[in-house]
């Protein structure tokens, strides 16, 4: 007689409790803090430029009701994380307001994880889908990019009036990053079929919704239009949330991200993360036998790069990055398989998709 195995599944999912989006919502920051029952002392984590863009305004609004201090940080690395952690301890902060782009929010994620002090994400740009995820990007001691498990914000305040003032390239990059979910999801399903990798249909659905929303509104996403930010903001937040559901970056990161990480390792500083993922998505969709032209056309509509020149690479550099991609995350099985691409296969892939 067949006996069923004992049921032992466990899953923990942590989400932002509140997401406020739209024109001028930064004015509601103090109200959000009150709704979250924060203590009296708070700390703003920001940078010099992002303080001018929104940090000073946040400080003025919140300081009417709370004791607020500000710490200025630079890139997402160990030294800046330690600087912010020390600031939390010195000020006895009970909450953190992260005002800035991806690096400032990533620092806040790691500080919150280390100190147990909750943080609110207040982006001044949305160059990728990390504004509300539980993953943080930082550089290790050698300067190489590293993704670490952290914590998501307890709230997100996405002010379209602030975000539209950021260089349009950031928004286009964020849209490209979310579009690249389409190949990450195919990789995830492929890995589930071939290797039995754990799969979450709910995380898959949320991630796919985010990517298809960007695909649908791509022709309407243009520079200097606040409504374009509005169209992109909800899908970008949803994409980050899908990682919280899955407990991993699987719903948003596959072979296209491995291509981007390979570029970062081999040729750092060439382009933005989302831009590289978008170009990677074109090629990986081709490998999956999907509609790669639709991805390319959507990226073109948005104004994101679609070829080697657009991400600052030569033909040889694209081929080298494609060949190295499989080595970036040996724990993540994708359409690249276990062995990756030969030089000939990499050349044909990039050539057939117009990347080179």
């Amino acid at each position: 007689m067949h006996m069923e195995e004992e049921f032992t599944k466990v899953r923990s999912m942590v989400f932002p409790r509140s997401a406020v989006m739209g024109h001028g919502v930064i004015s509601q920051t103090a109200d959000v803090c009150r709704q979250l029952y924060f203590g009296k002392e708070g700390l703003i984590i920001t940078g010099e430029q992002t303080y001018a863009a929104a940090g000073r305004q946040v400080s003025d609004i919140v300081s009417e009701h709370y004791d607020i201090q500000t710490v200025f940080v630079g890139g997402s690395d160990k030294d800046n994380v330690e600087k912010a952690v020390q600031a939390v301890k010195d000020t006895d902060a009970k909450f953190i307001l992260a005002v800035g782009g991806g690096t400032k929010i990533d620092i806040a994620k790691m500080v919150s994880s280390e100190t147990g002090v909750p943080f609110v994400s207040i982006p001044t740009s949305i160059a990728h889908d990390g504004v509300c995820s539980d993953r943080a990007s930082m550089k290790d001691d050698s300067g190489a990019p590293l993704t670490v498990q952290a914590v998501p914000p307890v709230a997100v305040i996405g002010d379209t009036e602030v975000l539209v003032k950021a260089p349009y390239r950031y928004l286009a990059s964020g849209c490209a990053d979310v579009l690249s979910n389409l190949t990450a999801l195919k990789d995830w399903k492929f890995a589930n079929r071939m290797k039995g990798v754990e799969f979450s249909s709910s995380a898959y659905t949320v991630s796919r919704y985010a990517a298809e929303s960007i695909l649908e509104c791509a022709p309407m996403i243009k520079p200097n239009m606040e409504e374009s930010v509005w169209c992109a903001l909800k899908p970008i937040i949803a994409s980050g949330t899908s990682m919280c559901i899955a407990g991993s970056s699987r719903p948003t990161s596959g072979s296209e991200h491995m291509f981007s990480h390979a570029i970062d390792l081999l040729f750092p500083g060439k382009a933005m993360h989302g831009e590289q993922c978008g170009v990677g998505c074109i090629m990986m969709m081709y490998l999956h036998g999907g509609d790669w032209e639709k991805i390319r056309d959507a990226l073109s509509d948005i104004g994101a790069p679609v070829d080697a020149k657009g991400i600052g690479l030569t033909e040889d550099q694209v081929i080298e990055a494609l060949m190295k991609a499989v080595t970036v995350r040996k724990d993540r099985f994708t359409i690249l398989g276990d062995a990756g691409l030969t030089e000939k296969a990499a050349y044909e892939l990039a050539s057939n998709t117009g990347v080179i």
Side-chain angles (χ1 to χ4, degrees):
M1 179 181 176
H2 174 70
M3 298 292 292
E4 290 187 6
E5 292 184 7
E6 183 180 358
F7 185 82
T8 58
K9 287 186 177 180
V10 176
R11 170 65 55 82
S12 174
M13 293 184 285
V14 182
F15 305 100
R17 286 174 53 187
S18 176
V20 185
M21 298 172 282
H23 180 84
V25 295
I26 208 166
S27 64
Q28 299 178 32
T29 304
D31 295 331
V32 171
C33 292
R34 277 195 294 271
Q35 291 165 7
L36 293 167
Y37 301 102
F38 285 152
K40 199 67 178 173
E41 297 81 17
L43 179 72
I44 294 174
I45 294 178
T46 190
E48 298 288 349
Q49 290 184 329
T50 50
Y51 182 75
R56 182 183 291 110
Q57 184 182 357
V58 169
S59 179
D60 291 344
I61 291 167
V62 180
S63 60
E64 293 182 14
H65 308 278
Y66 296 90
D67 297 329
I68 293 293
Q69 301 295 321
T70 301
V71 60
F72 293 93
V73 294
S76 182
D77 55 33
K78 186 178 178 181
D79 290 343
N80 280 293
V81 171
E82 289 179 352
K83 179 182 180 181
V85 166
Q86 190 59 50
V88 169
K89 294 176 180 177
D90 291 344
T91 59
D92 195 28
K94 302 299 188 295
F95 65 94
I96 296 166
L97 303 176
V99 184
T103 57
K104 308 305 178 282
I105 292 170
D106 281 343
I107 288 171
K109 290 177 187 178
M110 289 180 277
V111 172
S112 181
S113 179
E114 185 169 335
T115 64
V117 176
F119 87 98
V120 176
S121 174
I122 308 175
T124 56
S125 63
I126 41 176
H128 55 70
D129 60 3
V131 294
C132 74
S133 74
D134 58 359
R135 311 277 147 168
S137 297
M138 68 179 300
K139 292 184 178 179
D140 63 19
D141 294 336
S142 69
L146 186 69
T147 301
V148 297
Q149 174 71 50
V151 294
V154 292
V156 181
I157 300 173
D159 191 324
T160 54
E161 186 180 16
V162 170
L163 293 166
V164 75
K165 294 174 183 175
Y168 179 70
R169 183 183 178 188
Y170 287 82
L171 178 62
S173 175
C175 291
D177 191 27
V178 175
L179 268 176
S180 77
N181 292 5
L182 293 171
T183 45
L185 292 171
K186 284 185 176 293
D187 282 329
W188 196 14
K189 272 198 165 181
F190 183 59
N192 174 254
R193 292 195 303 270
M194 297 293 291
K195 301 283 188 176
V197 169
E198 187 175 358
F199 182 81
S200 166
S201 57
S202 51
Y204 177 95
T205 301
V206 173
S207 175
R208 188 165 185 86
Y209 149 76
E212 290 183 343
S213 295
I214 296 293
L215 202 61
E216 183 179 338
C217 66
M220 298 176 284
I221 299 176
K222 301 297 178 188
N224 305 314
M225 289 180 57
E226 193 171 342
E227 192 165 353
S228 294
V229 180
W230 172 257
C231 288
L233 188 55
K234 187 177 176 182
I236 287 173
I237 289 175
S239 183
T241 302
S242 72
M243 290 183 260
C244 299
I245 297 171
S248 83
S249 59
R250 263 293 189 179
T252 65
S253 176
S255 50
E256 74 298 319
H257 271 62
M258 291 158 69
F259 170 71
S260 176
H261 293 322
I263 295 172
D264 292 337
L265 290 169
L266 294 168
F267 318 108
K270 292 294 186 180
M272 300 183 78
H273 168 77
E275 293 174 331
Q276 294 171 176
C277 290
V279 173
C281 183
I282 294 170
M283 293 186 287
M284 301 311 160
M285 186 62 80
Y286 179 93
L287 288 181
H288 276 289
D291 191 350
W292 61 272
E293 291 105 329
K294 189 174 184 178
I295 305 295
R296 180 200 59 199
D297 293 346
L299 290 169
S300 292
D301 284 341
I302 292 166
V306 296
D307 57 22
K309 183 179 179 181
I311 54 174
L313 298 183
T314 65
E315 292 186 5
D316 289 343
Q317 287 172 334
V318 168
I319 293 165
E320 189 176 349
L322 281 170
M323 292 170 63
K324 186 174 179 61
V326 75
T327 69
V328 172
R329 289 202 63 168
K330 292 184 178 294
D331 62 323
R332 181 149 295 183
F333 186 75
T334 69
I335 194 65
L336 296 173
D338 294 315
L341 300 174
T342 64
E343 183 175 359
K344 182 175 183 291
Y347 172 80
E348 289 181 353
L349 170 60
S351 178
N352 289 342
T353 53
V355 171
I356 63 173

